[in-house]
Amino acid sequence: MAKPVVAIVGRANVGKSTLFNRITGGRVSIVENTPGVTRDRVYRDVEWTGVKFTIVDTGGIEIRDQDDIIGNQVRRHAQIAAEEADVLIFLVDAKTGITREDEVVAKTLLKSSKPVVLAVNKVDDPLRENEVYDFYKLGLGEPIAISAEHGINIGDLLDRVVSFIKDKKVEEEYEGDAVKVAVVGRPNVGKSSLVNRLLGTERVIVSDIPGTTRDAVDTFFKRGDKSYVLIDTAGIRRKSRITDTTEKYSVNRAFKAVQRADVVLVVIDAAEGVTDQDKRIAGFAHEAGKAVIIIVNKWDLIEKDERTMEYYDAYLRKELSFISYAPSLYVSALTNQRVPKIFDLIDFVAEQASLRVQTSKINALLQEAFIKHPPPSYKGKRLKLYYATQVKVQPPTFLMFVNDPNLIPTAYRRYLENSIRKEFGFEGTPIRIVAKKK
């Protein structure tokens, strides 16, 4: 049985993200005093008095014009989160009092069979607690006065929440066995559309407005007998173009998403080609030691002949030569062309990144490589290899005991890496070779 889910819902700017951060113990959600900042759902696992559950931050529910694309989708997004949840925290604002939006949301929640905990936020002064009683009018039972910013009565709120779920069975965290896949790239290259295709359901907001996805959004799912966590991230812009505070958090979160991932899908716009920013994003995944797949999206927009893909692949290898180990796949999130093949590649590179080579085999290979092409001498000294072993996976890391680590030039290190790849594979993953003096 799945871990119980608790969703924080409410109109925009009542402090949902601040409450989420207070409960999870860190700045996980973007917090900014601007309505509509939190656009996608954010999931985190927490524990209170021995009860484990997943807390969900949502976009604000607002009553807006039908022409407002983002506003309508955010409202639907929060409704989806409410449908998935076992318990709902309906957050309202003591300073503004009951609004029309609060009344509409309350009527919606009353129709639901889910338990609702009514939390009145921004009660920073005990003298204002009498104002909380006005919220009885919403018909959702006794309101709890809290201050998410100052941590007032958060324990009482969580006690009420877990009272509804303490009898539910919980399962171990999914991250143990699941392959974590981060989807990264510049804004508007089609990341969210690709995620929706992979999931087969709308889990993230999709529009052609750059920067729509601001949070990294984790979605756990199974495909056959394999488990995955798909992390959709905000588009990463150039630093010079990152001006507002919200986007700075988004870029930072995208980089953190790469750090959390096992496999990184670097999404590139086929029509625009490889940009300097694409190289920077791919370089970050490479330096983080993550398995990488290059996803060339919008392939349906390219005029093609029988050799177009061959030429484009050569172009990719030239522009992204530092990740020449990464396989590429040409897809269209719009038409679903080759999208299902992405899972096969994810499984493959994840397996390659976890390969272990017997010590005897790696020693035999490297000794032979030293004999075929001896390392160059430097100031009368030449590198000698005594012993080698694999010490780590994800990325595969090899430790060589030598006479002097400073005698390994970059070109020779690359030669050794290529020798290892030729013999053992390691496709889709960087390799680390560490030299240590015996």
Side-chain angles (χ1 to χ4, degrees):
M1 186 174 181
K3 192 174 298 183
V5 174
V6 178
I8 305 172
V9 298
R11 58 184 172 83
N13 214 29
V14 295
K16 294 186 301 300
S17 295
T18 304
L19 177 60
F20 181 83
N21 292 340
R22 173 65 64 177
I23 293 172
T24 58
R27 176 167 253 173
V28 175
S29 274
I30 299 169
V31 178
E32 186 173 302
N33 194 30
T34 305
V37 168
T38 304
R39 291 176 169 179
D40 287 313
R41 288 166 287 163
V42 179
Y43 299 70
R44 284 294 179 271
D45 292 331
V46 295
E47 182 177 348
W48 181 255
T49 61
V51 179
K52 295 180 180 180
F53 59 93
T54 300
I55 190 82
V56 184
D57 187 17
T58 67
I61 303 174
E62 296 188 73
I63 311 301
R64 292 185 174 185
D65 296 335
Q66 293 300 313
D67 292 337
D68 180 7
I69 299 173
I70 297 293
N72 288 328
Q73 290 199 58
V74 166
R75 183 173 62 251
R76 183 183 64 184
H77 221 56
Q79 290 168 342
I80 291 173
E83 290 170 4
E84 292 178 349
D86 297 289
V87 180
L88 301 168
I89 299 175
F90 179 28
L91 197 63
V92 292
D93 188 335
K95 293 182 178 180
T96 59
I98 297 175
T99 67
R100 175 172 170 258
E101 286 94 334
D102 292 332
E103 292 174 345
V104 172
V105 174
K107 288 180 181 178
T108 302
L109 298 182
L110 281 168
K111 296 177 183 177
S112 170
S113 60
K114 306 295 178 64
V116 179
V117 178
L118 178 60
V120 184
N121 194 25
K122 305 182 185 179
V123 185
D124 308 322
D125 186 343
L127 297 177
R128 301 193 62 183
E129 288 191 10
N130 289 335
E131 300 173 12
V132 172
Y133 296 109
D134 290 339
F135 290 90
Y136 271 105
K137 298 175 184 177
L138 294 175
L140 292 169
E142 182 183 0
I144 299 178
I146 69 167
S147 171
E149 183 177 358
H150 299 290
I152 298 173
N153 289 341
I154 301 301
D156 293 343
L157 172 65
L158 292 175
D159 285 343
R160 179 85 63 85
V161 168
V162 300
S163 70
F164 291 110
I165 60 176
K166 61 184 179 181
D167 295 328
K168 289 182 176 289
K169 294 180 180 179
V170 298
E171 62 182 18
E172 294 300 313
E173 292 185 3
Y174 59 66
E175 295 193 355
D177 298 322
V179 177
K180 295 179 286 296
V181 183
V183 184
V184 301
R186 293 182 294 111
N188 214 28
V189 295
K191 298 183 301 299
S192 293
S193 297
L194 182 64
V195 168
N196 289 340
R197 280 290 187 184
L198 289 170
L199 294 173
T201 182
E202 287 195 22
R203 288 298 188 102
V204 288
I205 296 172
V206 180
S207 78
D208 58 1
I209 305 171
T212 299
T213 305
R214 292 188 173 188
D215 285 304
V217 183
D218 290 11
T219 304
F220 171 71
F221 68 101
K222 287 193 173 185
R223 183 174 181 263
D225 59 349
K226 295 183 179 179
S227 300
Y228 304 86
V229 178
L230 206 55
I231 309 169
D232 182 31
T233 63
I236 306 174
R237 302 178 192 268
R238 288 181 180 274
K239 282 189 177 181
S240 60
R241 295 185 182 178
I242 301 172
T243 54
D244 71 17
T245 306
T246 306
E247 189 150 320
K248 289 179 181 177
Y249 286 133
S250 300
V251 172
N252 188 49
R253 182 167 295 108
F255 286 152
K256 287 183 177 179
V258 170
Q259 294 282 9
R260 291 194 294 123
D262 301 311
V263 179
V264 177
L265 305 184
V266 177
V267 185
I268 293 172
D269 187 316
E272 295 184 11
V274 179
T275 68
D276 289 342
Q277 188 66 351
D278 291 325
K279 294 177 183 179
R280 176 172 173 256
I281 295 167
F284 184 82
H286 169 74
E287 290 168 5
K290 306 300 179 178
V292 177
I293 301 172
I294 304 169
I295 302 295
V296 183
N297 192 27
K298 306 183 184 180
W299 191 242
D300 55 305
L301 301 181
I302 301 296
E303 292 186 14
K304 297 176 278 290
D305 58 31
E306 65 275 5
R307 302 197 67 182
T308 301
M309 193 177 294
E310 178 185 341
Y311 289 138
Y312 207 104
D313 215 50
Y315 161 73
L316 280 182
R317 300 304 154 195
K318 178 182 177 183
E319 296 295 320
L320 299 171
S321 57
F322 58 93
I323 54 168
S324 57
Y325 55 80
S328 56
L329 192 62
Y330 300 86
V331 309
S332 169
L334 181 65
T335 66
N336 205 37
Q337 182 184 22
R338 298 190 190 89
V339 172
K341 292 184 178 181
I342 293 176
F343 284 109
D344 294 334
L345 268 182
I346 290 173
D347 293 340
F348 176 67
V349 300
E351 181 182 284
Q352 291 286 296
S354 298
L355 281 180
R356 283 192 178 274
V357 179
Q358 291 179 6
T359 298
S360 59
K361 291 183 177 180
I362 193 65
N363 271 285
L365 174 76
L366 291 179
Q367 293 289 356
E368 184 179 352
F370 268 67
I371 293 171
K372 283 185 176 180
H373 297 284
S377 60
Y378 178 72
K379 292 184 178 180
K381 296 179 67 178
R382 190 182 298 274
L383 181 72
K384 293 181 181 179
L385 172 65
Y386 299 116
Y387 180 77
T389 185
Q390 184 176 353
V391 293
K392 187 182 173 184
V393 297
Q394 294 181 322
T397 303
F398 299 90
L399 177 61
M400 299 194 313
F401 291 95
V402 297
N403 58 329
D404 186 350
N406 296 320
L407 294 176
I408 308 179
T410 300
Y412 198 74
R413 187 184 297 269
R414 192 177 304 119
Y415 159 69
L416 295 178
E417 178 183 327
N418 290 336
S419 298
I420 293 172
R421 289 188 186 280
K422 185 177 180 180
E423 180 68 20
F424 302 112
F426 295 112
E427 294 182 49
T429 178
I431 289 177
R432 300 282 188 263
I433 297 178
V434 179
K436 187 176 181 180
K437 189 172 183 179
K438 186 177 179 181

